Amino acid sequence: MIEGPILAIETSCDETAAAVVEQRRVVSSVVASQAELHTPYGGVVPEVAARHHLGTVNAVVDDALAEAGLALADAAALAVTRSPGLIGALLVGVATAKALAYAARKPLVMVDHLHGHVCAVWLDPVALDPPFVSLVASGGHTRLDLVLDYEAPVLLGQTIDDAAGEAIDKGARTLGLPYPGGPALESLARGGDPAAFEFPVALSGREQADFSFAGVKTSLLYRVRDLGAEAEVRRADLAASYQEAIMRPLAERLVGAASRAEVPAVALGGGVAANGRLRALVEEHAAGAGLRVAAPALSLCTDNAAMIGAAAQFTPAIPWPEFVGEDAIPTAPTGGVAA
Ligand code: KG4
Ligand code: ZN
């Protein structure tokens, strides 16, 4: 366990983030979102993301330290997202963290982004202790892990094609909503009937821990095409039914996996976990199974650096100056969280 404040940096996608985390306490957390910059393109443009991180990261780090009332010299260690993510974007964070840690003669922790999403529930005020089953659903990943200890979550299942967030973003686009699609789809769905349209739930089965979202995405596309002009008036119903077809298997398989593993709790993480309908479905299913639900604040579900500071407690720190040869890795080397 690292005693004292950790300065953490996250730049894997389109959020430039820095945080100061001391044990389970988030002392400060600053997130500069580039989402608006990518809206005209309907998705994240890697080159634009990397350039913007470069122009923003120093100010974001300064803000996180200032909000915490600390100087760089006060940090016990630095932590940074090493993988997975956009390579140009990751490199900005890794180069920044290495330079700061080198100059300040501090150890550096190279963190896996998905491990960060799993560890968000370790932070106060949720402060969840293992064992539990974790669902991380983000723009690039959807996975269930059995967490017996925070050091090495064990993969139980994952998406075999699209991530849940990817299906949300593409479905939102089909419905004419702007990027990022998640929050826009959720608010449109609020005015609609989730039972209005039937969308297929892939891999339906009692003991299923894997996911598939490519089919439902295509099915929405066909439905909108078949409805023609009527699709415009039925947008809210389409959004609600589509959201339901994605959130239902997430909630059911999370709770099913936890029951089979005989753990007392389930945890949510990743941007899709900010979705109110998913949270309600998980609460509903978990109550039936007698499980505790641990869900971080919305700001700790979507990308942030506090979760990287949390995962740093469960990842070996590299002493000064041995980290100078460390690099960013665009995809996780083993395809696994922290393993
Ligand atoms: O974890 P995250 O911020 O970034 C990645 O690591 O990918 O997740 C981003 C994903 C996007 O697909 C976004 O549309 C989705 O999370 N998301 C949501 C909501 N807020 C963000 N999906 C559904 N409902 C939301 N409220
Ligand atoms: Zn993420």
Side-chain angles (χ1 to χ4, degrees), residues 9-15 17 80-86 90 110-120 136-141 143 269-271 301-305 307-308 311 315 329-330 332 336-338:
I9 299 172
E10 149 68 42
T11 62
S12 66
C13 191
D14 62 346
E15 259 98 32
V80 66
T81 305
R82 178 224 297 268
S83 68
L86 305 169
L90 286 166
M110 306 294 289
V111 174
D112 178 287
H113 180 83
L114 297 174
H115 194 198
H117 278 304
V118 172
C119 293
V136 170
S138 70
H141 302 267
R143 52 184 295 145
C301 287
T302 48
D303 287 348
N304 65 88
M307 70 182 194
I308 302 303
T315 310
I329 304 171
V337 169

Side-chain angles (χ1 to χ4, degrees), residues 5 32 35-36 40-41 48 71 77 117-118 151 156 166 174 213 225 235 237 242 244 254 272 280 296 299 313 320:
E36 274 179 24
Y41 309 102
V48 173
H117 278 304
V118 172
E151 280 81 4
L156 296 175
E166 194 179 341
T174 302
F213 296 109
R225 195 191 58 188
R235 270 171 90 228
D237 284 344
Y242 183 70
E244 199 72 5
L254 168 62
V272 179
S299 58
Q313 293 288 9
W320 184 92

Side-chain angles (χ1 to χ4, degrees), residues 105-166:
R105 296 180 167 253
K106 306 288 179 183
L108 178 63
V109 192
M110 306 294 289
V111 174
D112 178 287
H113 180 83
L114 297 174
H115 194 198
H117 278 304
V118 172
C119 293
V121 286
W122 178 75
L123 294 165
D124 286 338
V126 178
L128 180 66
D129 287 320
F132 61 91
V133 171
S134 151
L135 166 70
V136 170
S138 70
H141 302 267
T142 303
R143 52 184 295 145
L144 289 174
D145 285 274
L146 174 61
V147 183
L148 297 175
D149 56 66
Y150 275 105
E151 280 81 4
V154 178
L155 179 68
L156 296 175
Q158 59 188 330
T159 181
I160 59 167
D161 42 52
D162 292 353
E166 194 179 341

